[in-house]
Amino acid sequence: VGGFVDTYTFITRGAMFASAQTGNIIFLAANVANGDWKQGFLKFVTIVAFWIGTIFAAIWTKLMDHTHYWRLTALFPELIMLTMLGFLPQTISNYYLLPPLAICMALQNSLYDVVAGHGYANVMATANLKHATLSGVTAILYHSVKSLRLSMLYTKAFFAFIIGAVTCALLIRIMGITAIWICAMMLAIAISVHAYLVKQKERKFTW
């Protein structure tokens, strides 16, 4: 989802990112250097929105600790936002679109940050590439099967990001701004699968 969403916003919504704030910081610096204060301020607001979304994630974890579905419920605003984007023309100001989307992506990034017991970045690629490489080298140097498995895990996460980004770019050529509906559909499927797994776990265990 992360690779798909950032590719979508970059191509169709003003060459900006909803998740990768490192890129927005670089673009912000370029805007300031060129005196483009309007675009620079939009990037600043989006960065702040992502920060606020991260704070919301911590608060959400506390408020929803009475239910096993606390992560899932935090994804519904993102699902709604992605669906809406496909209906909204590109003439609408990105001030109304990118900051709210950044908050949603921050929630996903903060609440879904562990896979198979290991921390990972679900809306960015650089950290996963680093971990995949370091674990792979460790596996070779120390003949560690555990490190090899970890490297494969991060490699899958890295390529999942790439596949999402490439798929989005190709779909935009065919579907235009409505390509984001494919991402919304994938997110809806992921939510449904996660809900099913939680329900199955509830039936087997008292937790």
Side-chain angles (χ1 to χ4, degrees):
V1 173
F4 199 114
V5 170
D6 272 348
T7 301
Y8 178 83
T9 57
F10 187 83
I11 295 176
T12 68
R13 303 293 178 176
M16 285 184 56
F17 300 117
S19 306
Q21 301 311 315
T22 302
N24 285 339
I25 291 171
I26 294 172
F27 292 145
L28 170 60
N31 290 146
V32 172
N34 294 326
D36 189 350
W37 302 107
K38 182 179 180 180
Q39 284 299 314
F41 187 68
L42 174 58
K43 292 173 178 66
F44 172 76
V45 172
T46 303
I47 294 167
V48 172
F50 190 90
W51 172 69
I52 292 173
T54 304
I55 295 174
F56 281 171
I59 297 173
W60 190 264
T61 302
K62 176 63 177 177
L63 292 178
M64 301 296 290
D65 62 0
H66 61 281
T67 174
H68 300 148
Y69 298 88
W70 57 280
R71 285 191 178 93
L72 287 174
T73 52
L75 292 179
F76 283 107
E78 180 182 346
L79 180 60
I80 294 171
M81 191 69 197
L82 295 180
T83 303
M84 287 176 54
L85 281 173
F87 290 104
L88 301 175
Q90 291 173 288
T91 53
I92 292 181
S93 173
N94 287 323
Y95 277 97
Y96 300 117
L97 306 178
L98 288 171
L101 183 58
I103 292 175
C104 295
M105 299 310 294
L107 285 169
Q108 177 186 318
N109 181 59
S110 299
L111 299 179
Y112 285 86
D113 58 348
V114 176
V115 60
H118 300 281
Y120 85 115
N122 61 70
V123 298
M124 304 168 203
T126 306
N128 295 329
L129 175 60
K130 180 193 76 172
H131 289 302
T133 304
L134 292 177
S135 297
V137 173
T138 300
I140 294 172
L141 293 178
Y142 298 98
H143 309 288
S144 171
V145 176
K146 180 180 178 181
S147 295
L148 177 60
R149 290 173 179 169
L150 190 58
S151 178
M152 293 175 64
L153 178 68
Y154 283 115
T155 299
K156 290 177 183 178
F158 176 71
F159 278 103
F161 186 94
I162 294 176
I163 292 171
V166 173
T167 300
C168 179
L170 294 175
L171 286 174
I172 287 174
R173 297 182 63 179
I174 301 171
M175 302 174 62
I177 62 172
T178 60
I180 197 64
W181 288 342
I182 303 300
C183 186
M185 182 179 67
M186 291 190 298
L187 182 61
I189 293 173
I191 291 173
S192 300
V193 171
H194 190 181
Y196 172 77
L197 293 175
V198 171
K199 189 66 176 179
Q200 290 297 105
K201 192 172 182 180
E202 283 182 329
R203 290 175 179 174
K204 293 181 180 180
F205 306 101
T206 301
W207 51 301

